[in-house]
Amino acid sequence: MNQLVERFATLPRSQRLLVALLAYVLIVLVAWFALLSPVIDETDAAVNERTTLQGERSSIKERAESLPEVQAELERMKGDLVQALTELPNDREIPGLLSEIDGLAKRSGLDVKRFQPLPESFDEYYAEVPVQIVMAGSYHEVAIFFDRVRRMNRIVSIEDIEITDPVLTGTETKLTVSGKVTTFRFLTEDELKESRANADGKKRRDGDGGGE
């Protein structure tokens, strides 16, 4: 150590100043990394957290401001549900509804040759009630029937339409039209329980199969 001090003393003044400056810089760097750098990191973390909190606050504020719109949309959806409930009959109304569809066909001038209910198919909350229909009449009469069905306040679909055997009668062409008229109904309480039990049983079977 004494030798280093003696060698430092013998150096020219400019070199001694340079060495002193380097030593000062080294001390500053050590102090920086030892003391100031952790403080700066903590400050940066605090700034980032503040930015995140401000963003969350803005998001919460936006959601709060849009709450009236959400409530209005919820009320609209409730209204749509009430309307849907009126368009989906229960099982007691199905015979009358089918009779109404048959009456619409006849009042449209069609000769209903077949109106045969088909087996129902079940979903989780509702059942499809299909009817096979075969009728004869002019194109105009068929169009009137389709339009009247469309205007019913119940959900009724017409599908699988086939038009065959066109016959010219006077100035009109008579057609034979066959297809499937489908309406829908809510499941009864017993049917809902059975549907849920079947769904639970399927889940358990799938779970057991997946664990093998």
Side-chain angles (χ1 to χ4, degrees):
M1 187 68 177
N2 291 334
Q3 292 178 353
L4 289 174
V5 173
E6 291 175 357
R7 291 182 60 184
F8 178 76
T10 59
L11 291 174
R13 185 172 181 275
S14 60
Q15 292 184 2
R16 289 199 306 270
L17 290 175
L18 179 60
V19 171
L21 179 60
L22 291 176
Y24 175 77
V25 171
L26 180 61
I27 293 172
V28 170
L29 290 176
V30 171
W32 172 273
F33 286 107
L35 300 175
L36 297 179
S37 182
V39 174
I40 292 176
D41 291 341
E42 292 177 2
T43 302
D44 290 342
V47 171
N48 292 335
E49 183 177 1
R50 179 185 178 187
T51 302
T52 301
L53 292 175
Q54 287 177 336
E56 293 177 354
R57 178 187 176 187
S58 298
S59 178
I60 293 172
K61 183 179 179 181
E62 290 176 0
R63 289 198 295 269
E65 290 175 349
S66 63
L67 182 59
E69 296 179 4
V70 173
Q71 291 175 334
E73 179 67 13
L74 181 60
E75 291 300 320
R76 186 191 65 77
M77 293 174 64
K78 288 180 180 179
D80 291 344
L81 177 59
V82 171
Q83 179 63 27
L85 292 177
T86 65
E87 295 179 357
L88 205 60
N90 57 42
D91 60 327
R92 294 187 299 273
E93 296 175 332
I94 288 297
L97 179 58
L98 296 182
S99 177
E100 181 180 357
I101 295 172
D102 182 44
L104 287 178
K106 292 176 180 176
R107 288 197 298 275
S108 299
L110 296 170
D111 178 16
V112 180
K113 299 181 177 296
R114 181 185 301 169
F115 195 83
Q116 178 181 355
L118 301 174
E120 295 182 348
S121 60
F122 297 89
D123 206 310
E124 186 175 0
Y125 297 105
Y126 66 89
E128 294 185 6
V129 186
V131 175
Q132 182 70 38
I133 187 170
V134 179
M135 49 197 176
S138 67
Y139 175 83
H140 180 67
E141 292 165 341
V142 173
I144 291 175
F145 170 65
F146 286 171
D147 183 66
R148 287 176 172 174
V149 170
R150 181 181 64 84
R151 295 174 182 272
M152 293 179 67
N153 61 349
R154 298 293 190 184
I155 300 175
V156 180
S157 67
I158 302 176
E159 53 192 354
D160 300 334
I161 297 298
E162 292 185 5
I163 299 176
T164 58
D165 303 330
V167 177
L168 182 61
T169 303
T171 59
E172 284 189 327
T173 299
K174 295 292 185 179
L175 309 169
T176 298
V177 180
S178 61
K180 185 170 66 174
V181 178
T182 303
T183 188
F184 306 85
R185 67 171 180 83
F186 279 120
L187 299 183
T188 63
E189 288 296 328
D190 291 339
E191 290 171 333
L192 281 172
K193 292 178 182 178
E194 182 179 355
S195 175
R196 290 165 185 161
N198 292 337
D200 291 341
K202 184 178 184 301
K203 289 179 180 178
R204 286 195 294 268
R205 290 193 298 272
D206 292 344
D208 293 340
E212 294 179 356

